[in-house]
Amino acid sequence: STYYAYPLYPIQPNWLDWSNAWIIGWVINYYGTCLCFCGVVLSEENGLRVGLAWCIGFLTLGSPVACLWMVVWLARRAGGSWTQ
């Protein structure tokens, strides 16, 4: 595991193996979480195309698209009452 082979502290940005191990770990964690989030989005969206478009946005553009989906989802759930 990255935690045992390359401890997070002390931070060692000048050691290439340490940096690569943590970058790869973060990327795997992000995409793993993102795929779970895509499952939620696909179950919530009305059409498969719309859900897949959101998922492609999450996987390519990252958290800004995920935050936008959350705002859209909350606005739909609230029915506009949160803006009144």
Side-chain angles (χ1 to χ4, degrees), residues 7 9 11 14 21 23-24 31 38 40 42 50 56 61 65-66 68 75:
Y9 297 105
I11 295 175
N14 296 328
I23 291 292
I24 290 168
Y31 282 106
C38 283
V40 172
L42 289 171
V50 174
I56 290 169
L61 299 174
V65 178
L68 178 62

Side-chain angles (χ1 to χ4, degrees), residues 12-66:
Q12 302 171 21
N14 296 328
W15 186 19
L16 188 59
D17 289 341
W18 182 91
S19 297
N20 286 340
W22 279 100
I23 291 292
I24 290 168
W26 287 333
V27 167
I28 290 170
N29 282 330
Y30 172 77
Y31 282 106
T33 303
C34 198
L35 290 174
C36 294
F37 189 54
C38 283
V40 172
V41 170
L42 289 171
S43 71
E44 287 289 322
E45 288 298 329
N46 292 330
L48 181 62
R49 287 183 183 177
V50 174
L52 286 176
W54 280 111
C55 289
I56 290 169
F58 304 153
L59 293 168
T60 58
L61 299 174
S63 59
V65 178

